[in-house]
Amino acid sequence: MLELVKAFLKAGVLTEDGRYQDTHTGTPQGGILSPLIFNIVLSALDEHLHGPWKNGGEMSTNSRRTMRRYRGLSRWRLVRHADDFVVLVNGTRDDVEVLHEDVAHVLEPLGLRLSPAKTRIVDMADGFDFLGFRIQWRRKRGTNKRYVYTFIADRPLRSLKAKIRALTHRTSQLPPRNVLIRLNQIMRGWADYFKHAVAKDTFSKLEYFVWWRVVRWLRALHRRRWKDVRRWLADPRGGWRRPHTDGIELFDIEAVTVTRYRYRASRIPNPWTGINHA
């Protein structure tokens, strides 16, 4: 494993103009080595936080959690993606603060520390951002029951709009075909990632935003009057068609099917062995 890591570190990178460049320190941004290293290093944190549920003979994880609940003790679950992680705690704020200090002590010998700017203790009713999603406990409409919902966080939404604005700036002279291809690539990837959240309303608003951005940009680029735009994009029934050029049509993000995540417990299949695991 160490030889593999060393090979990654010494491999160098290709710049945007196709030239080779040596890497003397650190790892290239966006490379696959950083998450690999973090997964190896933070396995110590995984083992430490999962230890209370895995040690102790034949008693199952659920049995241990139930026993702690009856004793009035806290329970927790770790969710981690490379160096981003969240610890979900069922207990008091004091329990959370004790666990926070415990995590800091585990990371210290590894040469790591919690970022004060990014590490927060919050209630599920207030919600938190994780991997681009906003996870929050809310009351279900029309009922008095509360559930955990997964929304799209503000930051990735602002980032997407910034990319769309940059590609459709009114002074841009980029070929329309290339712009539509790039916009479609960006929005398809973004929608595929976020389509498992509460995203239908967000997709609808984004569709309106990008449609008008593209139409106004093309109108300015070709110096068309609005009646020319109407003639170009009007369908036989008086509605609007999607902007298109040279056989490329603007991707309809509103048409993406939203498939909300459902808790599947042990029914989640393992693709490597064909065995289901929780």
Side-chain angles (χ1 to χ4, degrees), residues 194-211:
F194 287 109
K195 67 182 179 182
H196 301 296
V198 183
K200 197 63 180 177
D201 184 60
T202 302
F203 285 175
S204 178
K205 291 177 180 177
L206 276 174
E207 166 60 21
Y208 179 86
F209 172 79
V210 70
W211 194 94

Side-chain angles (χ1 to χ4, degrees), residues 173-270:
Q173 297 297 314
L174 295 173
R177 187 177 191 276
N178 294 351
V179 171
L180 288 184
I181 290 174
R182 184 60 185 143
L183 281 174
N184 290 349
Q185 291 172 341
I186 292 172
M187 290 194 296
R188 278 196 180 95
W190 198 89
D192 282 342
Y193 183 78
F194 287 109
K195 67 182 179 182
H196 301 296
V198 183
K200 197 63 180 177
D201 184 60
T202 302
F203 285 175
S204 178
K205 291 177 180 177
L206 276 174
E207 166 60 21
Y208 179 86
F209 172 79
V210 70
W211 194 94
W212 279 106
R213 287 289 308 186
V214 169
V215 168
R216 286 168 179 158
W217 169 64
L218 288 175
R219 174 177 176 266
L221 181 67
H222 298 298
R223 299 180 181 180
R224 291 177 174 174
R225 294 172 297 177
W226 275 112
K227 66 177 183 180
D228 297 325
V229 173
R230 178 68 181 175
R231 188 180 304 112
W232 172 46
L233 294 178
D235 62 24
R237 295 177 295 180
W240 291 98
R241 294 186 299 170
R242 308 203 57 70
H244 55 277
T245 182
D246 296 332
I248 303 298
E249 185 176 86
L250 179 65
F251 175 67
D252 185 1
I253 195 171
E254 189 176 11
V256 174
T257 302
V258 174
T259 54
R260 296 269 293 281
Y261 172 76
R262 294 292 183 268
Y263 179 64
R264 293 176 290 168
S266 59
R267 296 191 300 276
I268 299 177
N270 183 333

Side-chain angles (χ1 to χ4, degrees), residues 6-269:
K6 182 179 179 180
F8 272 116
L9 291 172
K10 299 297 183 181
V13 295
L14 286 176
T15 61
E16 292 184 356
D17 56 3
R19 291 185 297 108
Y20 173 81
Q21 180 177 324
D22 288 326
T23 50
H24 302 289
T25 59
T27 60
Q29 185 174 2
I32 64 173
L33 182 58
S34 291
L36 170 64
I37 292 177
F38 269 109
N39 281 330
I40 295 172
V41 173
L42 290 182
S43 61
L45 178 64
D46 300 344
E47 293 170 0
H48 179 79
L49 291 181
H50 291 157
W53 320 121
K54 292 187 176 180
N55 299 327
E58 298 180 355
M59 186 180 293
S60 68
T61 295
N62 290 335
S63 298
R64 283 193 200 89
R65 293 184 184 277
T66 302
M67 184 179 296
R68 288 183 64 91
R69 183 184 65 186
Y70 285 144
R71 292 176 178 175
L73 301 175
S74 63
R75 288 95 64 205
W76 58 85
R77 291 181 185 271
L78 169 68
V79 182
R80 186 174 66 81
H81 179 80
D83 61 326
D84 291 323
F85 66 89
V86 58
V87 183
L88 305 171
V89 181
N90 189 327
T92 65
R93 186 176 182 87
D94 289 339
D95 294 327
V96 178
E97 290 176 350
V98 169
L99 194 60
H100 177 274
E101 293 299 322
D102 190 31
V103 169
H105 289 317
V106 173
L107 295 179
E108 187 176 1
L110 304 176
L112 302 173
R113 61 181 178 84
L114 296 173
S115 169
K118 296 181 179 180
T119 305
R120 297 188 303 137
I121 298 176
V122 298
D123 190 276
M124 284 296 294
D126 299 324
F128 61 93
D129 291 352
F130 184 57
L131 302 178
F133 293 94
R134 180 71 178 175
I135 302 171
Q136 193 169 7
W137 193 35
R138 288 191 182 182
R139 182 178 62 85
K140 185 177 181 179
R141 185 180 301 173
T143 71
N144 291 323
K145 294 183 179 181
R146 289 182 173 270
Y147 297 91
V148 176
Y149 288 93
T150 304
F151 304 94
I152 302 175
D154 291 336
R155 185 174 178 179
L157 187 58
R158 292 196 303 268
S159 176
L160 176 65
K161 286 186 175 181
K163 292 178 181 179
I164 294 172
R165 289 189 181 100
L167 286 169
T168 58
H169 195 275
R170 62 181 181 179
T171 60
S172 173
Q173 297 297 314
L174 295 173
R177 187 177 191 276
N178 294 351
V179 171
L180 288 184
I181 290 174
R182 184 60 185 143
L183 281 174
N184 290 349
Q185 291 172 341
I186 292 172
M187 290 194 296
R188 278 196 180 95
W190 198 89
D192 282 342
Y193 183 78
F194 287 109
K195 67 182 179 182
H196 301 296
V198 183
K200 197 63 180 177
D201 184 60
T202 302
F203 285 175
S204 178
K205 291 177 180 177
L206 276 174
E207 166 60 21
Y208 179 86
F209 172 79
V210 70
W211 194 94
W212 279 106
R213 287 289 308 186
V214 169
V215 168
R216 286 168 179 158
W217 169 64
L218 288 175
R219 174 177 176 266
L221 181 67
H222 298 298
R223 299 180 181 180
R224 291 177 174 174
R225 294 172 297 177
W226 275 112
K227 66 177 183 180
D228 297 325
V229 173
R230 178 68 181 175
R231 188 180 304 112
W232 172 46
L233 294 178
D235 62 24
R237 295 177 295 180
W240 291 98
R241 294 186 299 170
R242 308 203 57 70
H244 55 277
T245 182
D246 296 332
I248 303 298
E249 185 176 86
L250 179 65
F251 175 67
D252 185 1
I253 195 171
E254 189 176 11
V256 174
T257 302
V258 174
T259 54
R260 296 269 293 281
Y261 172 76
R262 294 292 183 268
Y263 179 64
R264 293 176 290 168
S266 59
R267 296 191 300 276
I268 299 177

